[in-house]
Amino acid sequence: MEQDLKPYLAQGILASLVMFVALSLITLEHAFIMVSMGATAFIVFAMPSSPAARPKNILGGHMLGLLSGALFSLVPHPQTYILMLACSSAVGLSVICMTLTKTHHPPASGTALAVVLTGFSTRVILGVILGSAVLSLAHHALRRHLKDL
């Protein structure tokens, strides 16, 4: 049975374009934050009917990841094991917060980790907010045309 590749190509190209827009909103020094946005793009464009693709979950999850990471980025980490503890604690807190608020979005735990590693700044806040907003808007605008792949 031959599979139609058009939706795969179209949604892959759309994911690339949307990620380009999201990446253009931040500096390269904070590109580490966008790793979790890449995972969000996969959910939005490959699994658009997933609950994790809902704008509430994308925005809410990444905001909770941002806040969890911000909290643990304040922990001084002169030794590697303290940094590892701060990173893992930020991920754990993001999981707790997302499950309690029903804003399940797995990539947002990556946001928490990235914020601890890169530090908390205005540029990081903007990158996370704008990146998740762009992906949420893309999902909303294209939802009738996207299908689960």
Side-chain angles (χ1 to χ4, degrees), residues 13-36:
I13 291 167
L14 284 171
S16 296
L17 293 172
V18 170
M19 280 305 297
F20 181 83
V21 170
L23 284 168
S24 69
L25 299 173
I26 64 166
T27 63
L28 286 180
E29 85 180 77
H30 295 107
F32 197 36
I33 292 293
M34 296 310 286
V35 171
S36 60

Side-chain angles (χ1 to χ4, degrees), residues 11 27 33 44-45 51 60-61 66 77 114 130 136 139:
Q11 287 176 221
T27 63
I33 292 293
V44 166
F45 291 100
L66 176 67
H77 42 272
L130 293 174
S136 292
H139 181 265

